[in-house]
Amino acid sequence: MASSNAEGAAPFPPPRKNVWFSLTHWGYILPVIYIASILYVLVPLSGIFLTVEDFNIDECVKMEGPDDFKYCEDFVLSDEAGIAYVSCDPVRIQYNDIMGINKLTPGEIVPAGGIWKVNYVETPASIEKFNMQIQSNISKTFHPLGITLDFHPETNKKMLAAINKPHLEHPSVELFDVDDDQVNLIHKHTIRHDKIYSPNSIHMIQDAKFRSADGTPSFFFSNDHYFVHPILRKLETYFFRWSNVGFYNAVTGQVEKGVEGLYFANGVSGTDNVLFIAETNKRSVRQYKVVTTVKNDIPHIHLDHIAEATFNMAVDNLHYHADKELLVIGGHPKPLDLIKYIAAADPSPIVKPPSQIDVWDIRTGETKTLIRDTGSLFGTSSTGAIDIENSKLVVSGLYEEGLLVCDI
C-alpha cells in the first residue's frame, strides 16, 4: 500500500515535465535556423565550388582608351548606331561605397568620374569624354554609378540620368540634356530625396503623364543597402535582406514604394510595362508587371510579381532589349574572389576576378551564358548589352580598363 505524505510535511513537488521545445530552447534554435538559411544562400553565392573556364571569347576584343577611361560600372546604348554612353570612376578601386571600401587618406584630393561617348564599331574606336556643363560644384564630386537615357515622348529630346555617389555626401540623381552635337552634357536638374539614400541603378518611365511640368521624368531606382554606416553595410550585405527598389514620382516629387526585403538590390531595367530587378545575393532576377493607377488626377505605379530566373553568378546590372524580349545580365561567377580583390591593399598583381554575361529569353523562359572569361582578358564584368544591328556584345567591368566588345 502506498504511503501518504506525513502530516505537516512539505507537499510532494509536482511531476517534472520533460518539454524539450521550451522557450529557452527556441532562443537557440531560431538563430541556428536563421544562420543556416543565410549559409544556404551564401555558400553557392561565393562560387567556391564553381570552375570557371573561358567560353565564347575568341571573337572578343578589349577596347582601351585614355588613362581615366577605367572602372566603368555601367553603360547604356545610344539611339545612334554603334554608340555607348559609359559611366566611369577612376578612383573606384580606392573608394567603393557599396562594399564599404575606403582606402583614401583623409583630405586626399581625388579626380572626379565622367561619362564617355564610345563608338565601338569604328576602327580604331572613338573614345571621348563628354564635356559636362555644370553651374555648381557637382563636377568636382561627380562619381557616377548607374546611368540611363530618357527620350521625351513628344520632343524626342535626349536626356541622360546618372546616379552620383559623392564621397561622404548624400547621393543624388543628376539629369543632363545631351546637346545636338553629342559632345556636351548640359546639367538640368539634381534630384535628392531621403528615400534615395543608397542608389545603384535607375530605369526611366517614358510615359508623358509621369512627367513634371518642366519635363522631368519619373523613374525606378534600387537602394542596394538600407544602412549607410560602412560597418553596418558590410553586415547587411551578408546577413540582412533590407534593400529595396523605389519609384520616384516626378509629378509629386515623392518616392513611392516599389519592392522591399531584397537581398542586395542591384540593376533595374525594363519598359513602361515591365520591370526587371537584379537581386545580387540570391543570384536571381525578378520580373514585375508595372501597373498604373490614377487617384485625384495624380498617376501612381505599383508592381505585380510575374516570374524569377536564377543564375550561377552574383547578378549585377541589367539591359532589356524590348523588341526581342531579351534581358542581358552582367555578373560575377566568383564573388568571393571579387571581394578579396576589392579588399586587397594592392590588387594590381592579382588576376582580375572572372566575368560572365548571361541572357534571359523572356518569351521562352530560357537562360544561357553568352560569354565567360577567367579574368585574363577582361574581368569583373558588371554590365552587358547586345547591339543587335551591328551583331556586337558590349561589356563593361567594375574594375577593368575600357570595354570588351565581342562579335556575336
Side-chain angles (χ1 to χ4, degrees):
M1 180 177 181
S3 61
S4 61
N5 188 22
E7 185 177 351
F12 289 123
R16 185 174 181 180
K17 296 180 179 180
N18 185 20
V19 181
W20 187 72
F21 286 97
S22 66
L23 292 177
T24 302
H25 290 101
W26 278 113
Y28 297 102
I29 295 169
L30 290 178
V32 170
I33 293 174
Y34 181 75
I35 292 173
S37 68
I38 293 296
L39 292 176
Y40 180 78
V41 174
L42 292 183
V43 171
L45 172 70
S46 68
I48 57 177
F49 299 117
L50 181 68
T51 300
V52 176
E53 297 179 348
D54 288 340
F55 171 72
N56 214 24
I57 62 169
D58 292 341
E59 300 300 322
C60 298
V61 176
K62 186 174 179 178
M63 182 181 296
E64 299 181 73
D67 289 343
D68 52 344
F69 181 55
K70 62 182 179 180
Y71 310 154
C72 305
E73 199 265 357
D74 198 13
F75 69 90
V76 61
L77 298 182
S78 173
D79 57 330
E80 309 163 81
I83 300 293
Y85 296 168
V86 189
S87 166
C88 307
D89 188 1
V91 296
R92 197 184 313 280
I93 196 70
Q94 297 167 275
Y95 189 97
N96 186 325
D97 174 67
I98 298 172
M99 301 305 295
I101 300 295
N102 184 0
K103 303 175 188 176
L104 300 173
T105 58
E108 180 179 352
I109 298 176
V110 298
I115 308 297
W116 296 73
K117 178 183 177 182
V118 179
N119 187 326
Y120 51 83
V121 296
E122 284 187 352
T123 303
S126 170
I127 303 173
E128 300 176 341
K129 184 188 289 187
F130 274 105
N131 175 35
M132 300 174 62
Q133 298 183 4
I134 303 177
Q135 304 302 321
S136 68
N137 64 351
I138 294 172
S139 58
K140 298 178 181 179
T141 60
F142 187 62
H143 296 283
L145 199 63
I147 63 171
T148 191
L149 284 173
D150 168 72
F151 298 90
H152 196 285
E154 297 172 357
T155 65
N156 205 38
K157 184 70 175 178
K158 187 188 304 185
M159 179 183 289
L160 183 139
I163 289 173
N164 182 24
K165 302 292 289 287
H167 297 172
L168 306 177
E169 296 180 24
H170 198 282
S172 61
V173 176
E174 304 296 340
L175 302 180
F176 302 87
D177 280 342
V178 183
D179 73 354
D180 294 337
D181 294 330
Q182 312 291 317
V183 295
N184 296 309
L185 295 179
I186 304 166
H187 186 250
K188 299 298 292 183
H189 198 43
T190 295
I191 297 174
R192 289 190 178 92
H193 195 283
D194 289 343
K195 293 184 178 180
I196 307 178
Y197 48 81
S198 188
N200 186 300
S201 184
I202 184 171
H203 168 63
M204 291 291 187
I205 293 296
Q206 303 297 310
D207 193 336
K209 66 174 173 285
F210 279 100
R211 293 178 181 265
S212 65
D214 65 358
T216 300
S218 299
F219 55 84
F220 287 100
F221 64 92
S222 59
N223 281 318
D224 50 52
H225 287 76
Y226 173 79
F227 289 115
V228 176
H229 191 280
I231 295 177
L232 294 178
R233 288 172 76 87
K234 288 182 179 180
L235 290 173
E236 180 189 348
T237 298
Y238 306 109
F239 297 107
F240 301 107
R241 306 182 184 197
W242 288 353
S243 63
N244 58 75
V245 167
F247 178 69
Y248 176 80
N249 192 330
V251 178
T252 62
Q254 297 301 315
V255 170
E256 300 176 2
K257 178 181 176 181
V259 181
E260 297 180 341
L262 299 172
Y263 204 178
F264 198 148
N266 206 319
V268 292
S269 185
T271 66
D272 283 7
N273 302 309
V274 64
L275 182 72
F276 298 92
I277 300 173
E279 196 170 3
T280 297
N281 282 10
K282 280 188 66 179
R283 303 184 300 161
S284 70
V285 177
R286 299 186 182 199
Q287 179 187 4
Y288 291 86
K289 180 181 180 182
V290 179
V291 181
T292 301
T293 60
V294 178
K295 185 177 181 180
N296 298 327
D297 294 328
I298 297 177
H300 301 278
I301 273 179
H302 72 266
L303 298 172
D304 288 344
H305 185 263
I306 297 175
E308 186 170 357
T310 303
F311 303 86
N312 65 339
M313 61 180 178
V315 293
D316 203 323
N317 287 325
L318 310 175
H319 194 287
Y320 184 52
H321 300 270
D323 52 342
K324 300 292 185 180
E325 293 189 53
L326 296 175
L327 182 73
V328 180
I329 305 101
H332 312 281
K334 290 280 192 177
L336 188 59
D337 290 355
L338 178 63
I339 292 170
K340 292 177 181 178
Y341 185 86
I342 295 172
D346 179 16
S348 57
I350 306 173
V351 176
K352 290 185 176 70
S355 294
Q356 185 169 320
I357 305 295
D358 284 13
V359 64
W360 179 9
D361 188 326
I362 306 304
R363 293 173 180 169
T364 66
E366 178 188 9
T367 63
K368 66 178 181 180
T369 297
L370 295 178
I371 65 163
R372 189 182 294 119
D373 188 323
T374 59
S376 57
L377 175 61
F378 194 89
T380 69
S381 58
S382 52
T383 307
I386 299 174
D387 179 345
I388 297 173
E389 181 179 346
N390 291 293
S391 299
K392 302 286 186 182
L393 171 67
V394 184
V395 182
S396 66
L398 190 63
Y399 290 105
E400 263 293 359
E401 293 78 28
L403 298 174
L404 185 71
V405 180
C406 308
D407 291 330
I408 56 172

Short mmCIF file of all heavy atoms in Angstrom, two decimals, residues 36-50 280-283 310-314 332-336:
data_model
loop_
_atom_site.label_atom_id
_atom_site.label_comp_id
_atom_site.label_asym_id
_atom_site.label_seq_id
_atom_site.Cartn_x
_atom_site.Cartn_y
_atom_site.Cartn_z
N ALA A 36 21.63 29.12 -40.73
CA ALA A 36 21.64 28.06 -41.74
C ALA A 36 21.03 28.54 -43.05
O ALA A 36 21.52 28.22 -44.14
CB ALA A 36 20.90 26.83 -41.22
N SER A 37 19.94 29.34 -42.95
CA SER A 37 19.30 29.86 -44.17
C SER A 37 20.22 30.83 -44.90
O SER A 37 20.23 30.88 -46.13
CB SER A 37 17.98 30.54 -43.82
OG SER A 37 18.19 31.74 -43.08
N ILE A 38 21.00 31.61 -44.13
CA ILE A 38 21.96 32.53 -44.75
C ILE A 38 23.07 31.76 -45.45
O ILE A 38 23.46 32.05 -46.58
CB ILE A 38 22.54 33.49 -43.69
CG1 ILE A 38 21.45 34.43 -43.15
CG2 ILE A 38 23.69 34.30 -44.28
CD1 ILE A 38 20.85 35.36 -44.15
N LEU A 39 23.60 30.74 -44.76
CA LEU A 39 24.67 29.94 -45.37
C LEU A 39 24.18 29.21 -46.61
O LEU A 39 24.94 29.01 -47.56
CB LEU A 39 25.20 28.93 -44.34
CG LEU A 39 25.97 29.52 -43.16
CD1 LEU A 39 26.35 28.42 -42.18
CD2 LEU A 39 27.21 30.26 -43.64
N TYR A 40 22.90 28.81 -46.60
CA TYR A 40 22.32 28.13 -47.76
C TYR A 40 22.40 29.01 -49.00
O TYR A 40 22.54 28.51 -50.13
CB TYR A 40 20.86 27.78 -47.45
CG TYR A 40 20.14 27.07 -48.57
CD1 TYR A 40 20.34 25.72 -48.82
CD2 TYR A 40 19.25 27.77 -49.39
CE1 TYR A 40 19.67 25.07 -49.85
CE2 TYR A 40 18.58 27.13 -50.42
CZ TYR A 40 18.79 25.78 -50.65
OH TYR A 40 18.14 25.14 -51.68
N VAL A 41 22.33 30.32 -48.79
CA VAL A 41 22.44 31.27 -49.91
C VAL A 41 23.89 31.64 -50.19
O VAL A 41 24.33 31.67 -51.33
CB VAL A 41 21.61 32.54 -49.60
CG1 VAL A 41 21.83 33.59 -50.70
CG2 VAL A 41 20.13 32.21 -49.48
N LEU A 42 24.66 31.92 -49.12
CA LEU A 42 25.99 32.48 -49.30
C LEU A 42 27.01 31.47 -49.81
O LEU A 42 27.93 31.84 -50.54
CB LEU A 42 26.48 33.08 -47.98
CG LEU A 42 25.75 34.33 -47.49
CD1 LEU A 42 26.41 34.85 -46.22
CD2 LEU A 42 25.74 35.41 -48.55
N VAL A 43 26.89 30.21 -49.43
CA VAL A 43 27.88 29.22 -49.86
C VAL A 43 27.88 29.06 -51.38
O VAL A 43 28.94 29.19 -52.02
CB VAL A 43 27.68 27.87 -49.15
CG1 VAL A 43 28.56 26.79 -49.76
CG2 VAL A 43 27.99 28.01 -47.66
N PRO A 44 26.73 28.80 -52.03
CA PRO A 44 26.77 28.75 -53.50
C PRO A 44 27.07 30.11 -54.13
O PRO A 44 27.67 30.18 -55.20
CB PRO A 44 25.37 28.25 -53.88
CG PRO A 44 24.52 28.51 -52.69
CD PRO A 44 25.40 28.43 -51.50
N LEU A 45 26.65 31.19 -53.45
CA LEU A 45 26.93 32.53 -53.98
C LEU A 45 28.44 32.78 -54.08
O LEU A 45 28.90 33.43 -55.02
CB LEU A 45 26.29 33.59 -53.08
CG LEU A 45 26.65 35.05 -53.38
CD1 LEU A 45 26.01 35.49 -54.69
CD2 LEU A 45 26.21 35.97 -52.24
N SER A 46 29.19 32.27 -53.14
CA SER A 46 30.63 32.54 -53.10
C SER A 46 31.35 32.05 -54.35
O SER A 46 32.40 32.59 -54.72
CB SER A 46 31.25 31.87 -51.86
OG SER A 46 31.21 30.46 -51.98
N GLY A 47 30.81 31.01 -55.00
CA GLY A 47 31.45 30.47 -56.19
C GLY A 47 32.60 29.53 -55.90
O GLY A 47 33.34 29.15 -56.83
N ILE A 48 32.77 29.11 -54.63
CA ILE A 48 33.93 28.28 -54.30
C ILE A 48 33.86 26.89 -54.94
O ILE A 48 34.88 26.23 -55.12
CB ILE A 48 34.10 28.15 -52.76
CG1 ILE A 48 32.83 27.57 -52.13
CG2 ILE A 48 34.45 29.48 -52.15
CD1 ILE A 48 32.96 27.34 -50.64
N PHE A 49 32.66 26.45 -55.28
CA PHE A 49 32.52 25.14 -55.90
C PHE A 49 32.37 25.22 -57.42
O PHE A 49 32.13 24.21 -58.08
CB PHE A 49 31.31 24.40 -55.32
CG PHE A 49 31.42 24.16 -53.83
CD1 PHE A 49 30.52 24.73 -52.96
CD2 PHE A 49 32.43 23.37 -53.31
CE1 PHE A 49 30.61 24.51 -51.59
CE2 PHE A 49 32.54 23.14 -51.95
CZ PHE A 49 31.63 23.72 -51.08
N LEU A 50 32.50 26.43 -57.96
CA LEU A 50 32.31 26.64 -59.39
C LEU A 50 33.65 26.73 -60.10
O LEU A 50 34.53 27.48 -59.69
CB LEU A 50 31.50 27.92 -59.64
CG LEU A 50 31.20 28.28 -61.09
CD1 LEU A 50 30.24 27.26 -61.70
CD2 LEU A 50 30.59 29.68 -61.17
N THR A 280 21.28 40.55 -56.14
CA THR A 280 22.64 40.03 -56.27
C THR A 280 22.89 38.79 -55.43
O THR A 280 23.37 37.77 -55.92
CB THR A 280 23.65 41.13 -55.89
OG1 THR A 280 23.52 42.20 -56.83
CG2 THR A 280 25.07 40.61 -55.93
N ASN A 281 22.59 38.86 -54.15
CA ASN A 281 22.96 37.75 -53.27
C ASN A 281 22.09 36.51 -53.44
O ASN A 281 22.46 35.42 -53.00
CB ASN A 281 22.94 38.20 -51.81
CG ASN A 281 24.16 39.00 -51.45
OD1 ASN A 281 24.95 39.38 -52.30
ND2 ASN A 281 24.35 39.27 -50.16
N LYS A 282 20.95 36.65 -54.07
CA LYS A 282 20.13 35.48 -54.39
C LYS A 282 20.46 34.92 -55.77
O LYS A 282 19.87 33.92 -56.18
CB LYS A 282 18.64 35.83 -54.32
CG LYS A 282 18.07 35.86 -52.91
CD LYS A 282 16.56 36.04 -52.94
CE LYS A 282 15.87 34.82 -53.56
NZ LYS A 282 14.41 34.95 -53.58
N ARG A 283 21.37 35.60 -56.48
CA ARG A 283 21.76 35.19 -57.84
C ARG A 283 20.54 35.09 -58.75
O ARG A 283 20.45 34.20 -59.59
CB ARG A 283 22.49 33.84 -57.80
CG ARG A 283 23.73 33.81 -56.93
CD ARG A 283 24.45 32.48 -57.03
NE ARG A 283 23.59 31.38 -56.62
CZ ARG A 283 23.79 30.11 -56.93
NH1 ARG A 283 24.81 29.76 -57.68
NH2 ARG A 283 22.97 29.17 -56.49
N THR A 310 17.07 32.26 -62.04
CA THR A 310 18.27 32.14 -61.22
C THR A 310 19.48 31.86 -62.11
O THR A 310 19.37 31.17 -63.13
CB THR A 310 18.10 31.01 -60.20
OG1 THR A 310 16.94 31.27 -59.40
CG2 THR A 310 19.30 30.92 -59.27
N PHE A 311 20.64 32.39 -61.70
CA PHE A 311 21.86 32.28 -62.49
C PHE A 311 23.01 31.80 -61.59
O PHE A 311 22.96 31.95 -60.37
CB PHE A 311 22.21 33.63 -63.12
CG PHE A 311 21.09 34.17 -63.98
CD1 PHE A 311 20.07 34.93 -63.41
CD2 PHE A 311 21.04 33.91 -65.33
CE1 PHE A 311 19.02 35.40 -64.18
CE2 PHE A 311 19.99 34.39 -66.11
CZ PHE A 311 18.98 35.13 -65.53
N ASN A 312 24.05 31.25 -62.21
CA ASN A 312 25.18 30.75 -61.43
C ASN A 312 26.25 31.83 -61.27
O ASN A 312 27.45 31.62 -61.50
CB ASN A 312 25.79 29.49 -62.08
CG ASN A 312 26.40 29.77 -63.44
OD1 ASN A 312 26.06 30.77 -64.10
ND2 ASN A 312 27.30 28.91 -63.88
N MET A 313 25.81 33.01 -60.85
CA MET A 313 26.70 34.13 -60.62
C MET A 313 25.96 35.16 -59.77
O MET A 313 24.71 35.15 -59.68
CB MET A 313 27.13 34.78 -61.94
CG MET A 313 25.99 35.33 -62.75
SD MET A 313 26.52 36.08 -64.32
CE MET A 313 24.96 36.58 -65.04
N ALA A 314 26.72 36.04 -59.14
CA ALA A 314 26.12 37.19 -58.46
C ALA A 314 25.72 38.19 -59.53
O ALA A 314 26.57 38.76 -60.21
CB ALA A 314 27.11 37.80 -57.49
N HIS A 332 29.05 38.21 -61.67
CA HIS A 332 30.33 37.76 -61.14
C HIS A 332 30.22 36.30 -60.70
O HIS A 332 29.61 36.00 -59.66
CB HIS A 332 30.72 38.64 -59.95
CG HIS A 332 30.58 40.11 -60.24
ND1 HIS A 332 31.52 40.81 -60.96
CD2 HIS A 332 29.58 40.99 -59.93
CE1 HIS A 332 31.12 42.08 -61.07
NE2 HIS A 332 29.96 42.21 -60.45
N PRO A 333 30.80 35.37 -61.47
CA PRO A 333 30.69 33.95 -61.10
C PRO A 333 31.51 33.57 -59.87
O PRO A 333 31.26 32.54 -59.26
CB PRO A 333 31.21 33.23 -62.36
CG PRO A 333 32.08 34.22 -63.04
CD PRO A 333 31.49 35.56 -62.76
N LYS A 334 32.49 34.40 -59.50
CA LYS A 334 33.31 34.15 -58.32
C LYS A 334 33.29 35.37 -57.40
O LYS A 334 34.30 36.09 -57.26
CB LYS A 334 34.76 33.85 -58.75
CG LYS A 334 34.96 32.52 -59.45
CD LYS A 334 35.03 31.39 -58.43
CE LYS A 334 35.52 30.10 -59.04
NZ LYS A 334 35.65 29.02 -58.03
N PRO A 335 32.18 35.62 -56.75
CA PRO A 335 32.07 36.83 -55.91
C PRO A 335 33.10 36.89 -54.78
O PRO A 335 33.55 37.98 -54.42
CB PRO A 335 30.65 36.74 -55.35
CG PRO A 335 29.92 35.87 -56.30
CD PRO A 335 30.91 34.88 -56.80
N LEU A 336 33.45 35.73 -54.23
CA LEU A 336 34.44 35.74 -53.15
C LEU A 336 35.79 36.25 -53.66
O LEU A 336 36.48 37.01 -52.96
CB LEU A 336 34.58 34.34 -52.56
CG LEU A 336 35.45 34.22 -51.30
CD1 LEU A 336 34.90 35.10 -50.19
CD2 LEU A 336 35.52 32.77 -50.83
#
